[in-house]
Amino acid sequence: ADGISMSLGTSAGSDGNDGLSQAVNAAVQAGVVSIVAAGNSGDGTGTVGAPGAASGALTVGAASKISDGPYLAPFSSRGPTLSGLTKPDITAPGVAIVAADAGTTAGYVALSGTSMATPFTAGAVALMLQCSPHLDPDQIHEMLAGTALDMGLTGTDNNWGAGLLDGSAAIAGACAGDGGIELRTHENFTAKVIRNRTWTHEFIIGTDGVGEPIAATILIEGELVCVLFCLLQEWSPDLDARLLDPFGAIIATSECPLRGDCGAHGQQETLQATAQSAGTYKLEVYPYSTIGSDIVVDLLYGPLAGSPPPPPPPPPGNSPPNADAGADQTVVDTDQSPSEWVTLDGSGSSDPDGDALSYAWSENGTELATGETTSVHLSDGIHVITLVVTDTEGASDTDTVTVEVESAPPAVGTSHVGDLDGSTTSNRKGRWQASVNVTVHDDLDSGLTDATVSFSVSDGTTRSCTTDASGTCSVTSRRQSSNAPSIEFAVVSIDHATLTYSGSDNHDSDGDSDGTEITVYP
């Protein structure tokens, strides 16, 4: 045999060391091209089964037919293999493929799977070998990869492999001829979906694209995570996507499982629709919860062999302005009100014609302020603020800025006495006077400024003082007669703007009182 086509495999990922994979490798070493289905366990990583995980296998993933886009089939198994090899090697049509119905003499059936994509590739290989019988498996592999239509990340990747099979080009290369399939307009790019933001890409479909398919394959940078105690796995982060027609109506959405074409895990978002009118369409990608991610997009639309129509020219004599709402910012609600004043800066906005600009700031359709630079009062939380700049001719542009107002950590909660010391002075007549120094601490045992300490005194009076920067202040009694044996001071309260008094925490660092009461002797 010159080649083997195998539409079979295990549902679980493989490292290529199993007996079936090793048998495939032995056949390849003997010069037999082995074309193997990648499997239908996508779209999570490491899902290529045996024998598709064999290092020598020409492993085939599945995509839709060109008449439907094409887009990558969400069910198509993905690499790397459990031993780290990049798989699949190539992708071929494998969605709703019409084939002869086994067991009948004239029946046909439409089926989907990498098992349907594998014969497409095997047929191309057979025609290549018919022209060039000397080609070995490595040469076949290189020619298929070199003529494939690159999709996904540039070069070979674990989703598309080398890209979409171009059997015509590969056969032409083997037969010293010319050939190649025609694609519709193909946009391939990477982008970043920001946390809590919707990423938007606009594209224009002309009248020749009406009635033609629109297809988008969106691959999300992330990883598989455990759910339900690892009984299941899902892709994180989770993004969703939708297509909007020129009138703003949603014509396709990837939200799973009710409306989207979904894989088993969620690495891929898939959109497919038919253009019903010419105009500007929008592709939007947004977080399901809050977290964004990098994405790789393959977007195809318009007639086969088409090219993007040029954008409509701007109105003669006036170019629209460019809005710039400034960088995203995070501010702290320092006084726990809970809100904070935030400065919005649109000074980066410009107008190509030098026209004067007006500025309007709004949130969820409600106007907040006007002016190039302004301050607004925002509650704690995340706010997406829209800036609309308008020139003197009425042309406008918009930009958004995300402002997060964070709650400040709560202030230290209580105050107490940390030290209480007494002293006396006397005059020549024997009358004496007592003084008490008090040190107030917060509940981190740091000196507390601007705390007012109130005392009751055993001579029937009251005294108070306010602490300095070190947390200390003092009070003095009335003069006592020479025969007065002692006088007592007791802390009644400590008043502070933000802290409450906790008398149970009172103490005296040098042990000459209990921190609440002290007796002073002449």
Side-chain angles (χ1 to χ4, degrees):
D2 296 319
I4 305 172
S5 178
M6 287 179 278
S7 292
L8 53 86
T10 61
S11 59
S14 170
D15 60 5
N17 291 320
D18 57 276
L20 191 55
S21 297
Q22 292 301 308
V24 166
N25 285 338
V28 172
Q29 294 211 350
V32 179
V33 183
S34 299
I35 305 99
V36 184
N40 304 324
S41 299
D43 56 353
T45 57
T47 50
V48 174
S55 59
L58 180 57
T59 307
V60 185
S64 74
K65 294 173 288 189
I66 290 179
S67 59
D68 292 326
Y71 57 85
L72 183 61
F75 59 75
S76 186
S77 291
R78 316 298 166 97
T81 67
L82 300 186
S83 61
L85 295 179
T86 300
K87 291 285 182 176
D89 297 295
I90 202 163
T91 302
V95 177
I97 303 301
V98 176
D101 189 5
T104 68
T105 58
Y108 291 89
V109 63
L111 297 173
S112 297
T114 56
S115 290
M116 305 303 286
T118 300
F120 265 97
T121 309
V125 170
L127 292 172
M128 293 168 69
L129 289 171
Q130 183 176 349
C131 285
S132 301
H134 63 279
L135 293 174
D136 62 31
D138 286 342
Q139 292 172 317
I140 293 284
H141 193 147
E142 290 172 5
M143 293 181 71
L144 289 175
T147 54
L149 302 170
D150 196 12
M151 301 278 185
L153 291 172
T154 302
T156 302
D157 60 68
N158 285 305
N159 292 285
W160 289 90
L164 185 65
L165 171 71
D166 188 341
S168 177
I171 294 164
C175 299
D178 295 319
I181 61 175
E182 293 182 337
L183 270 187
R184 57 194 82 251
T185 298
H186 177 209
E187 295 188 42
N188 170 264
F189 50 86
T190 59
K192 180 180 287 293
V193 180
I194 304 299
R195 181 175 183 262
N196 286 323
R197 300 277 291 274
T198 296
W199 171 85
T200 300
H201 175 73
E202 294 185 350
F203 58 99
I204 298 173
I205 293 180
T207 55
D208 57 350
V210 175
E212 297 288 343
I214 307 169
T217 302
I218 302 150
L219 299 170
I220 305 164
E221 181 71 23
E223 61 182 351
L224 287 171
V225 297
C226 287
V227 294
L228 296 177
F229 305 101
C230 271
L231 295 176
L232 298 174
Q233 287 185 308
E234 64 182 25
W235 197 258
S236 179
D238 185 4
L239 305 183
D240 287 318
R242 60 192 173 212
L243 273 174
L244 284 74
D245 69 10
F247 307 102
I250 297 173
I251 58 173
T253 178
S254 71
E255 293 177 0
C256 298
L258 298 179
R259 291 180 286 182
D261 192 358
C262 304
H265 299 99
Q267 178 188 185
Q268 175 179 331
E269 302 296 315
T270 311
L271 297 170
Q272 204 275 336
T274 300
Q276 299 296 333
S277 58
T280 300
Y281 287 72
K282 288 183 179 181
L283 168 62
E284 295 184 342
V285 185
Y286 49 93
Y288 173 75
S289 53
T290 59
I291 303 173
S293 179
D294 293 329
I295 56 175
V296 181
V297 179
D298 283 282
L299 175 64
L300 294 103
Y301 56 91
L304 290 175
S307 59
N318 181 56
S319 298
N322 299 308
D324 184 354
D328 294 346
Q329 54 181 307
T330 299
V331 297
V332 178
D333 173 21
T334 54
D335 60 2
Q336 300 181 334
S337 46
S339 59
E340 189 68 16
W341 285 101
V342 175
T343 299
L344 303 176
D345 184 7
S347 61
S349 304
S350 61
D351 185 86
D353 305 316
D355 293 343
L357 298 176
S358 62
Y359 301 77
W361 302 85
S362 63
E363 182 179 18
N364 297 325
T366 301
E367 185 172 295
L368 299 177
T370 58
E372 181 183 51
T373 301
T374 185
S375 293
V376 294
H377 208 229
L378 299 179
S379 61
D380 291 2
I382 296 175
H383 303 264
V384 179
I385 310 298
T386 299
L387 169 64
V388 179
V389 294
T390 306
D391 67 15
T392 54
E393 299 296 321
S396 63
D397 189 30
T398 63
D399 191 25
T400 59
V401 59
T402 298
V403 179
E404 183 171 2
V405 181
E406 294 182 341
S407 298
V412 178
T414 61
S415 63
H416 61 272
V417 174
D419 191 29
L420 205 57
D421 296 314
S423 62
T424 60
T425 58
S426 46
N427 60 19
R428 290 179 295 174
K429 296 181 179 181
R431 294 174 64 82
W432 61 281
Q433 192 173 29
S435 296
V436 171
N437 287 339
V438 60
T439 300
V440 178
H441 289 169
D442 59 26
D443 55 9
L444 298 179
D445 275 331
S446 299
L448 183 62
T449 305
D450 292 330
T452 300
V453 186
S454 297
F455 294 82
S456 64
V457 188
S458 59
D459 63 4
T461 63
T462 59
R463 293 287 189 270
S464 64
C465 62
T466 300
T467 58
D468 58 17
S470 67
T472 301
C473 65
S474 61
V475 295
T476 304
S477 72
R478 295 188 304 188
R479 291 195 178 275
Q480 306 296 308
S481 65
S482 59
N483 58 359
S486 62
I487 189 167
E488 297 176 354
F489 292 75
V491 177
V492 176
S493 65
I494 299 176
D495 295 322
H496 188 266
T498 60
L499 307 186
T500 58
Y501 173 46
S502 176
S504 61
D505 294 328
N506 288 353
H507 60 274
D508 192 334
S509 59
D510 51 22
D512 55 1
S513 76
D514 62 3
T516 301
E517 297 180 351
I518 187 169
T519 301
V520 182
Y521 299 92

